Amino acid sequence: MSSQHTEELHQDEHHGEGMTKGRILKVAGILSAITAVEFFIALYLVPHDIMPLHIANPIYIVLTLFKAFYIVAFFMHLKFERIGLMIAIIVPILFIIGLILVLTNESHYWIDLRG
């Protein structure tokens, strides 16, 4: 078997795992549904005092993280990469999210201290 033929087989295998039109539409539908839930919370539940803002904000964060996961996993093809690359990208992001949460909590302490 020639090296060119082997390379073509490898490319076909990689693209076979990739995105199809149906999968793209499914992911786009999931992203649209999550966005619709976010809009419903922001434009109906919070203004009509059905859901307090201190409950809505964590829900926004979780829904946004789900959308970020779908975008990175499917449209940036990270789902189809090796586990080492996925860990190298995901672990620092988790540390950054943790840092943001800690700093947000600390900022509330300093605001309360000044008041």
Side-chain angles (χ1 to χ4, degrees):
M1 203 183 316
S2 70
S3 64
Q4 182 182 9
H5 185 66
T6 306
E7 186 176 315
E8 287 174 5
L9 283 176
H10 178 68
Q11 287 177 353
D12 288 341
E13 288 173 5
H14 181 69
H15 289 291
E17 297 173 1
M19 298 295 287
T20 62
K21 186 183 258 187
R23 187 175 283 175
I24 290 172
L25 292 174
K26 180 181 176 184
V27 172
I30 291 170
L31 292 174
S32 298
I34 292 172
T35 302
V37 169
E38 288 176 337
F39 272 97
F40 180 72
I41 292 170
L43 299 176
Y44 184 76
L45 295 181
V46 173
H48 291 102
D49 293 326
I50 297 171
M51 180 182 290
L53 193 59
H54 72 276
I55 295 190
N57 283 339
I59 292 173
Y60 292 143
I61 292 170
V62 169
L63 291 174
T64 302
L65 289 175
F66 278 132
K67 287 196 316 188
F69 164 76
Y70 274 102
I71 290 168
V72 170
F74 289 99
F75 293 126
M76 296 176 67
H77 304 283
L78 188 61
K79 183 178 183 217
F80 311 110
E81 295 296 336
R82 296 180 189 261
I83 191 75
L85 178 63
M86 290 174 26
I87 290 173
I89 292 173
I90 292 171
V91 170
I93 290 173
L94 292 176
F95 280 119
I96 291 169
I97 291 169
L99 178 65
I100 290 170
L101 293 174
V102 168
L103 291 176
T104 302
N105 188 30
E106 190 69 21
S107 69
H108 290 294
Y109 170 76
W110 283 101
I111 290 170
D112 293 340
L113 187 65
R114 293 178 126 209

